[in-house]
Amino acid sequence: MAMLFACLLLATQPARAALKLVITEGVNSARPIGVIPFQWKGQGELPEDVSGVVGSDLRRSGKFNPLSVSEMPQTPYRDSDVDYNAWTALGVDSVLTGTITPTADGRYQIDYQLIDIVRGQLTGGESKGLGADGQLVKTDDHLLVNNRATVKASDLRRYAHRISNIVYEKLTGEKGAFLTRIAYVVIEEEADYPYQLRLSDYDGFNERLVLRSKQPLMSPAWSPDGRQLAYVSFENGQAEIFIMDIYTGEREKISSYPRHNGSPRFSPDGSQLALVLSKTGSLQVYTFDLKTKKLTQITHGRANSTEPFWDPDGNSLIYTSDRGGKPQIYRVNLADGTSRRITWQGNQNMGGQLTPDGRFLIMVNQSASGYNIAKQDLNSGAVQILTKTLLDESPSIAPNGSMVIYSSVYGRKNVLSLVSVDGRFKARLPATNGRVRAPAWSPYL
């Protein structure tokens, strides 16, 4: 009990080594968009730069390049004030604008519009449509979004991420992932508790320390509801698997067999945990039913099999095995236990994850250029190398499949990095101190 208290003592306190996202590549080739600084109708300073958060979110998605204010031809706050020709001349087809007004009860009313510049240019913002009586009436179909919300000061940043999700989905057809979090391990060698499990918003803000230990922490993995984390701890002298409720701090020990217990991964429905044990001597993949506590061995043989990851449909697992001599990625059918190799290019492939649509495999590919994050099309087998650094590991995919977060080495330190699934956009999230490893992207929250 004393160990548990010591580990969870700071579970609700902000962490000291905040992350700061640094974009390194890919913005200039992205789609230009206008994000007008929202008009503040109150006195003093607005507690949060809502439109600034939205612009940063869209830029970090790798798909948009918000214009700087100095590049904008105007800063309109209503669709009726938009000069459609001026924006079109810059290649901008969408503009987000809005106002923020303080309310009598101390909250903030946010009105915002996403304007289709091309449609507005064609109609002059005065498009017509048929009314219920068959007569022509004025419509606002050049407004892709026209919303209002009232929020507390403490919720302004969160609501800005919500606006980003709405804009992203409206313009791409994909669900946005800006209201998500990441879990990761920070190692501070000189600290009393050097191994720390932390959470932050996807962009590194609002970092919180949820667990600390004098012994290594590894392999955090989210439950599908975003409430729990499975992870590996050495606090009792050997690798053991725990599940923690991130809101209450309550923990349950799941696996503590002799030698190795590792690589926990929740099933898509949250009912099972895939994990790796060395009960038979070599490393093998198992599944553990969280309700019945039934343990089932999935892989067999003398070769080592590790790093399981569930197919989105829950009917199969991919995993890394050295049965062919060097680590490669295989898929096992859970119904009949048959396995087949799915990676062939490169000296080694490991750490595989599947995109939410099941189309692509994201993995660590080792070749003459080093260890890099790569993407394989599971239909064609084509492989694309996404990163260029020497030692990349532990990829984790955003729940909308658009981005990958991973651990890399920069300036002789372990940092977190981002790359878009198409490989065009890259960024780093270095901490102010400590080494950062083993990132895990949350589900939608």
Side-chain angles (χ1 to χ4, degrees):
M1 191 68 179
M3 172 64 75
L4 176 59
F5 178 76
C7 287
L8 300 179
L9 185 62
L10 299 182
T12 60
Q13 295 188 15
R16 292 177 294 158
L19 302 173
K20 182 179 179 181
L21 191 143
V22 179
I23 296 173
T24 58
E25 188 177 328
V27 172
N28 292 336
S29 63
R31 176 180 177 180
I33 187 174
V35 180
I36 310 298
F38 286 9
Q39 183 183 32
W40 167 230
K41 293 187 174 182
Q43 297 182 351
E45 188 173 344
L46 183 66
E48 187 68 63
D49 181 6
V50 173
S51 54
V53 173
V54 175
S56 295
D57 283 344
L58 296 178
R59 180 176 288 108
R60 290 166 183 152
S61 75
K63 295 191 175 183
F64 295 96
N65 182 16
L67 272 63
S68 66
V69 176
S70 63
E71 296 174 308
M72 296 179 182
Q74 57 172 168
T75 54
Y77 301 117
R78 296 176 300 179
D79 66 300
S80 58
D81 296 329
V82 172
D83 183 340
Y84 297 101
N85 292 330
W87 290 99
T88 302
L90 295 176
V92 174
D93 58 18
S94 302
V95 167
L96 177 71
T97 189
T99 61
I100 302 178
T101 307
T103 63
D105 60 0
R107 297 191 297 171
Y108 298 85
Q109 177 181 298
I110 306 174
D111 295 273
Y112 60 99
Q113 299 174 325
L114 179 62
I115 303 166
D116 184 331
I117 295 297
V118 176
R119 179 69 177 172
Q121 183 187 38
L122 291 174
T123 65
E126 298 285 340
S127 53
K128 301 284 187 179
L130 290 177
D133 58 1
Q135 301 297 313
L136 285 174
V137 296
K138 182 179 177 181
T139 65
D140 58 2
D141 56 0
H142 62 293
L143 295 183
L144 301 175
V145 175
N146 187 16
N147 290 349
R148 168 178 290 179
T150 302
V151 301
K152 298 182 296 185
S154 58
D155 292 333
L156 281 170
R157 186 175 188 87
R158 180 173 177 81
Y159 194 79
H161 289 315
R162 175 170 172 75
I163 295 174
S164 302
N165 280 344
I166 291 170
V167 171
Y168 182 90
E169 184 169 3
K170 182 63 67 172
L171 297 180
T172 68
E174 302 173 357
K175 191 172 180 179
F178 305 112
L179 278 174
T180 54
R181 306 170 83 181
I182 52 174
Y184 46 92
V185 174
V186 175
I187 305 170
E188 292 188 281
E189 304 288 358
E190 305 302 321
D192 291 337
Y193 294 87
Y195 300 96
Q196 302 166 12
L197 180 58
R198 301 182 182 180
L199 305 179
S200 77
D201 295 346
Y202 93 96
D203 57 3
F205 279 78
N206 297 320
E207 187 181 57
R208 310 295 292 183
L209 175 62
V210 297
L211 183 69
R212 63 177 188 170
S213 174
K214 292 188 175 183
Q215 301 301 324
L217 300 169
M218 301 171 61
S219 307
W222 291 88
S223 62
D225 63 3
R227 186 174 184 87
Q228 296 177 309
L229 283 172
Y231 64 93
V232 176
S233 173
F234 284 77
E235 65 193 58
N236 295 319
Q238 70 163 77
E240 298 174 315
I241 296 175
F242 291 83
I243 291 179
M244 167 191 278
D245 186 308
I246 64 172
Y247 296 102
T248 67
E250 294 180 359
R251 301 196 305 164
E252 178 185 2
K253 186 185 294 186
I254 297 298
S255 177
S256 183
Y257 292 97
R259 297 186 298 277
H260 185 79
N261 301 263
S263 300
R265 183 71 60 177
F266 284 94
S267 63
D269 64 2
S271 67
Q272 299 182 75
L273 203 67
L275 64 160
V276 174
L277 306 174
S278 56
K279 293 178 60 178
T280 62
S282 58
L283 299 175
Q284 301 296 337
V285 174
Y286 293 75
T287 57
F288 179 77
D289 189 299
L290 294 170
K291 184 177 181 179
T292 66
K293 311 303 181 184
K294 179 182 178 182
L295 186 68
T296 303
Q297 186 172 347
I298 302 300
T299 62
H300 302 80
R302 296 181 179 179
N304 291 306
S305 298
T306 186
E307 300 177 325
F309 189 88
W310 295 84
D311 188 283
D313 63 15
N315 295 326
S316 63
L317 288 166
I318 61 169
Y319 62 96
T320 304
S321 177
D322 61 3
R323 65 185 59 181
K326 294 183 178 179
Q328 295 292 345
I329 297 174
Y330 296 74
R331 188 196 294 265
V332 57
N333 185 314
L334 295 177
D336 59 19
T338 58
S339 288
R340 63 182 180 88
R341 179 173 166 178
I342 59 175
T343 57
W344 299 91
Q345 298 187 38
N347 296 330
Q348 301 180 35
N349 291 284
M350 62 204 86
Q353 294 203 358
L354 297 170
T355 54
D357 59 9
R359 290 181 55 200
F360 299 105
L361 168 68
I362 304 297
M363 59 194 172
V364 178
N365 173 276
Q366 190 269 323
S367 64
S369 62
Y371 290 85
N372 303 116
I373 306 301
K375 175 183 73 175
Q376 178 173 316
D377 186 312
L378 291 176
N379 289 325
S380 68
V383 173
Q384 177 187 1
I385 305 300
L386 301 178
T387 64
K388 304 175 182 177
T389 42
L390 292 178
L391 188 58
D392 302 327
E393 60 183 4
S394 305
S396 182
I397 306 170
N400 65 356
S402 66
M403 301 288 292
V404 180
I405 192 168
Y406 60 99
S407 176
S408 64
V409 175
Y410 178 78
R412 298 183 179 181
K413 291 182 64 176
N414 292 103
V415 301
L416 300 186
S417 295
L418 286 170
V419 62
S420 58
V421 168
D422 62 13
R424 294 189 305 172
F425 175 83
K426 297 178 176 65
R428 289 191 306 274
L429 289 91
T432 55
N433 59 356
R435 294 184 288 129
V436 192
R437 306 189 69 176
W441 210 312
S442 80
Y444 294 115
L445 300 175

